[in-house]
Structure formats: structure tokens, C-alpha cells
């Protein structure tokens, strides 16, 4: 074991790797609640919930996908990196693909499976690197930053901190509940918005103090405060058998053979968006976390094919189980900060996800106010990529800015992505820099243009 994980070469030991693995698990554990909450449409009106997979099955799928993905990273990638369903693509799955595009969730899972299969092929053949070089750096970072604003916006909306407004589209929610004539639901909404603000402050302070499991602890503190003030119910037990996977397991397969459903412009955009986001995210995250751990050689990952394949296979497995794209998690930096250097860290994290399968009753304490701080603060982590954009070059800055801005304002990652990829070649060509644009970018221009023409009808 020590030899397989190269403990001596990496200067590490079992104790340190175990603490690191538990640390990464605690930093990622919020996804066990947030993912089923989001993918099952729990924050949507009751009549829309029927269009989404069942909560319990998504919980089991999330824990299993995280366990499988993280164990793949342990044994194949041999990196101290955890995997779980990503926070941007679960929002894209729920709000864009199923809610707006009205694609059945089973077909959306087929799209996840397909995009990860393509990612696997690109990773094994080395084409991945060629594509990474073809996409302008500013757009790559804009995708992460835009997703950060998007999921933060979802958190603010779910918590009632930001509300709809007829005159201005959006406005600040209501936080006072002692006016005369307030309806009971208005009082409840105001109290929940206050609870979310409380949770946000607690979590920000924990993060600022560099507490590794800040988001997880923040959720627990918020839920306990919610129980004290009667906003969150008590779980009736702590341990139970995992909820059945039957409602979601293999649901993707019913569409994988249906070529007419799978090969439409709508699905092309869905698959491309899943692929792009996972592609850029995995590249940035694997390099970023490995760099922090001091594992890069000449700026390259050790065994890059294995690491990217672990990401892609985890996504395929997750789609079969019943969750949106599983990917390498930036929260793995918490375990690396605690000393994790080898795949053994990921082995420990993966085993923790298996144990978590038996604690599903605790999910009863997760309400929109409890998840909101996690959504908003993961948004901050992702938005930090904004600094990588060349803001003083307008032909770079504007497409990136548009990508970032359109994601929250149109409530769609795909629309943000499409906006940037359409505007980028136009601005470059009109500036007389057509040769600076990679041919692949012109192909994508037409693909995304087709998206706007055929999907907006
Ligand atoms: N890299 C990465 N880390 C995450 N942490 C939570 N969600 C994500 C995600 O989508 N990508």
C-alpha cells in the first residue's frame, strides 16, 4: 500500500493522509444534501417537481458517484483529489435542461453519459490538450466565474434574500416580520431569509478563519439555529439503510438508444455544455490542486491520462446511477492543506462517502435557507477566476464579461457560454485579428448560433 501510493517519495504517512482524507470529505460533504435538493427540484413549485427524479434516489446516487469517483482518483489517478457531482452542472441540469428546455430528466442523464464518454475519448487520445489550446484563456476562466455568479444567484433566490420585482426584475427580499397585516407565509419567508443571512455570516467567518470544513459546519450551525427558531424540523432518526436507487438507476439507458431524441440541436447544445464545463473545470481543478500539493512536473500532471480518465469515468458512472456530472472538486485543496499528497487521501475520502450512505435521515434538516450559504460561498470560490481575464484588452474582456454576466441574468450556463463563443470571433475578426482565432472557434460560432436560432423560437 505504502509503495503503491509512493509514501516515501512523497514524504507522507498514513496518519497525515487519513486526516487529509477526512478533511476533504468534510469540505465536500454539503453536496450530499445540496445535490439531491437541487436535482429533485425541491425548491420548485409542487406541480413542477413531478418532472424531476426522486430525492432519496438522487441522494444514494450522489454518495455512490462521489465514492466511485474518489476511489478512481485514489487508485487510477493516484492523486489526493475528491470527486462528486459538480455544483455548476447540477444547476444547469435542473434549471436549464429540465426546467427551461423541457428535456426529460432521463434524457438529460443520457446527455451527461454521452458528454463524459466523449471526455474519456478526448482524454485517452490526447485530443484534450489540443482543444484546451484552441479555446481562448479568457473564455475558459469566464465559464468558471460565470457559474460562480449563477449558483450564488440561485442561493440568494432560494433563501429569499433576492426576490422578483415587477418594476426592476429583482430586488432585495424582506427581512422584517412584525408589520401588521403580514400573511403567515410572508412572515415565514422573512424568518427564513434571516436564517440564511445568519448562516452566511457564520460560514464566511469560518472560511475567513481558514477552517477546513467551513461550509459543512456552517450548514450544521444554520440547521441547528433553524431548529431552535422552529424553521427546521428535527430528523426522526440518524442512521438507516440507504434510500432505493431504483427510480434513477439506469434511467439514462432508455434514451441512449433513441437517436432522434439524442441527436437534435437542443441535445447537441446540452451535451456540448456538459462537456465544456466538465472539460475546463477538470483541467483547472486537477492542475490547481496538484500544483498546491507540489505534484506537478514541468507544469504537468503525473499520469495526466489516468487523472482525466478518472474524472470522465466517474461522470459516466454517476449518469448511470442518477446524478449530473461528477467531477474533481476544488475543495480537495482543504485536504492538501492538511498534508494530503497521495492517492491514499482520496481512498479515505471515498470510504467516508460510502459510510455517508447510511446517514440519509439527517437530510431532513436541509432547507433552502440551510443550503443557501453553501451555494453563495462556492460561488465566491468559482468567481475568483475573474482575475485571470485580460481586462485591459477589450476584444478579450468583452466576450468574457458577457459570458459571466449572461449566466446569472438569463439563468442559464449554456446561454452564457453561447454568448461568449458567438461574440468572441466577431470582435476579433472586426478588429482585424481573424488569424488569432483558432479554426475550432469558428465551428463553435456556428454551433452556438444554431442554438440561439432554433432554441429561441
Ligand atoms: N472543481 C469544482 N469544484 C466544485 N465544488 C463544488 N462544485 C464544484 C464543481 O463543479 N467543480
Amino acid at each position: 500500500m505504502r509503495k503503491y501510493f509512493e509514501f516515501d517519495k512523497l514524504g507522507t504517512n498514513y496518519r497525515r493522509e487519513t486526516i487529509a482524507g477526512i478533511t476533504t470529505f468534510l469540505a465536500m460533504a454539503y453536496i450530499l444534501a445540496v445535490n439531491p435538493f437541487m436535482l429533485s427540484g425541491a425548491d420548485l413549485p409542487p406541480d413542477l417537481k413531478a418532472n424531476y427524479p426522486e430525492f432519496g434516489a438522487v441522494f444514494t446516487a450522489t454518495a455512490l458517484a462521489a465514492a466511485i469517483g474518489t476511489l478512481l482518483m485514489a487508485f487510477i489517478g493516484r492523486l489526493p483529489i475528491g470527486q462528486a457531482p459538480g455544483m455548476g452542472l447540477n444547476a444547469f441540469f435542473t434549471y436549464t435542461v429540465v426546467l427551461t428546455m423541457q428535456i426529460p430528466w432521463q434524457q438529460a442523464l443520457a446527455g451527461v453519459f454521452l458528454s463524459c464518454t466523449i471526455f474519456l475519448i478526448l482524454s485517452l487520445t490526447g485530443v484534450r490538450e489540443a482543444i484546451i489550446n484552441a479555446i481562448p484563456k479568457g473564455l475558459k476562466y469566464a465559464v468558471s466565474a460565470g457559474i460562480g455568479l449563477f449558483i450564488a444567484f440561485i442561493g440568494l433566490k432560494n433563501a429569499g434574500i433576492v426576490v422578483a420585482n415587477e418594476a426592476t426584475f429583482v430586488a432585495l427580499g424582506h427581512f422584517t416580520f412584525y408589520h401588521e397585516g403580514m400573511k403567515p407565509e410572508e412572515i415565514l419567508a422573512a424568518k427564513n431569509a434571516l436564517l440564511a443571512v445568519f448562516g452566511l455570516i457564520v460560514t464566511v467567518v469560518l472560511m475567513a478563519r481558514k477552517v477546513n470544513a467551513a461550509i459543512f459546519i456552517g450548514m450544521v450551525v444554520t440547521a441547528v439555529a433553524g431548529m431552535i427558531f422552529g424553521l427546521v424540523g428535527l430528523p426522526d432518526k440518524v442512521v438507516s439503510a440507504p434510500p432505493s436507487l431504483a427510480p434513477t438507476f439506469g434511467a439514462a439507458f432508455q434514451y441512449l438508444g433513441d437517436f432522434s431524441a439524442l441527436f437534435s440541436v437542443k441535445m447537441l447544445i446540452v451535451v456540448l455544455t456538459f462537456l465544456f464545463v466538465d472539460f475546463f473545470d477538470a483541467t483547472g481543478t486537477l492542475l490547481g490542486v496538484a500544483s498546491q500539493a507540489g505534484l506537478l512536473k514541468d507544469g504537468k500532471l503525473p499520469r495526466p491520462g489516468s487523472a482525466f480518465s478518472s474524472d470522465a469515468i466517474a461522470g459516466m458512472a454517476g449518469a448511470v446511477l442518477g446524478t449530473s456530472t461528477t467531477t474533481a472538486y476544488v475543495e480537495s485543496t482543504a485536504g492538501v492543506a492538511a498534508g494530503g499528497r497521495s492517492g491514499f487521501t482520496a481512498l479515505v475520502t471515498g470510504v467516508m462517502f460510502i459510510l455517508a450512505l447510511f446517514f440519509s435521515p439527517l437530510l431532513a434538516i436541509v432547507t433552502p435557507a440551510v443550503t443557501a450559504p453553501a451555494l453563495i460561498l462556492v460561488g465566491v470560490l468559482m468567481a475568483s477566476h475573474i482575475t485571470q481575464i485580460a481586462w485591459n484588452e477589450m476584444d478579450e474582456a468583452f466576450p468574457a464579461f458577457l459570458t459571466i454576466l449572461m449566466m446569472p441574468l438569463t439563468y442559464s450556463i449554456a446561454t452564457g457560454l453561447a454568448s461568449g463563443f458567438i461574440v468572441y470571433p466577431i470582435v476579433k475578426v472586426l478588429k482585424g485579428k481573424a488569424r488569432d482565432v483558432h479554426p475550432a472557434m469558428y465551428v463553435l460560432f456556428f454551433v452556438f448560433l444554431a442554438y440561439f436560432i432554433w432554441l429561441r423560437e
Side-chain angles (χ1 to χ4, degrees), residues 27-28 30-31 82 84-90 147 151 277-278 281-282 284-286 289 325 327-332 378 381-382 385:
M28 295 173 69
Y30 68 90
I31 198 63
M87 285 282 281
L89 284 180
N90 56 6
I147 294 174
I151 56 180
V277 173
D278 191 18
D281 192 349
T285 306
L286 291 176
V289 180
T325 314
T327 187
Y329 252 45
V330 66
E331 285 85 350
S332 310
V378 173
L381 300 181
M382 300 187 83
H385 293 281

Side-chain angles (χ1 to χ4, degrees), residues 355-377:
L355 295 179
L357 275 168
F358 299 93
F359 291 90
S360 65
L362 293 179
L363 293 175
I365 63 175
V366 177
T367 66
V370 175
T371 55
L375 290 165
I376 297 164
L377 292 166

Side-chain angles (χ1 to χ4, degrees), residues 265 268-269 272 442-452:
V265 174
L268 178 66
I269 294 300
L272 262 186
Y442 292 110
V443 176
L444 290 170
F445 169 84
F446 287 108
V447 171
F448 284 113
L449 201 60
Y451 161 70
F452 276 126

Side-chain angles (χ1 to χ4, degrees), residues 107 255 258-264 267:
Q107 189 180 341
Y255 277 93
D258 181 354
F259 292 138
S260 62
L262 226 45
F263 293 99
S264 59
M267 272 308 273

Side-chain angles (χ1 to χ4, degrees), residues 222-385:
T222 312
V224 171
M227 287 173 198
I228 293 169
F229 290 100
L231 298 169
V232 174
L234 286 171
D236 46 12
K237 49 186 174 173
V238 176
V239 180
S240 84
S244 166
L245 201 56
T248 56
F249 184 80
F253 289 123
Q254 72 189 76
Y255 277 93
L256 277 172
D258 181 354
F259 292 138
S260 62
L262 226 45
F263 293 99
S264 59
V265 174
K266 219 156 118 170
M267 272 308 273
L268 178 66
I269 294 300
V270 168
V271 172
L272 262 186
T273 304
F274 279 135
L275 176 64
F276 271 29
V277 173
D278 191 18
F279 192 96
F280 299 145
D281 192 349
T283 303
T285 306
L286 291 176
L287 285 171
V289 180
S291 158
Q292 191 205 354
L295 296 172
L296 296 187
K297 280 201 196 79
D298 306 325
K300 291 209 157 70
L301 279 173
R303 303 173 295 276
S306 310
F308 286 104
S309 302
S310 303
D311 188 293
I313 298 169
M316 293 163 71
V320 174
L321 292 164
T323 170
S324 55
T325 314
T326 303
T327 187
Y329 252 45
V330 66
E331 285 85 350
S332 310
T333 48
V336 169
R341 292 292 176 273
S342 79
F344 193 82
T345 293
L347 170 59
V348 172
T349 308
V351 170
M352 298 286 291
F353 273 115
I354 294 174
L355 295 179
L357 275 168
F358 299 93
F359 291 90
S360 65
L362 293 179
L363 293 175
I365 63 175
V366 177
T367 66
V370 175
T371 55
L375 290 165
I376 297 164
L377 292 166
V378 173
V380 178
L381 300 181
M382 300 187 83
S384 64
H385 293 281

Side-chain angles (χ1 to χ4, degrees), residues 63-117:
L64 277 176
I68 293 170
T70 307
L71 292 175
L72 283 169
M73 205 51 95
F75 289 108
I76 299 181
R78 280 191 262 168
L79 290 168
I81 295 179
Q83 299 206 71
M87 285 282 281
L89 284 180
N90 56 6
F92 174 67
F93 186 105
T94 304
Y95 302 110
T96 305
V97 182
V98 179
L99 185 68
T100 311
M101 292 183 167
Q102 302 196 329
I103 290 176
W105 62 266
Q106 298 89 339
Q107 189 180 341
L109 286 178
V112 173
F113 186 86
L114 209 57
S115 69
C116 294
T117 310

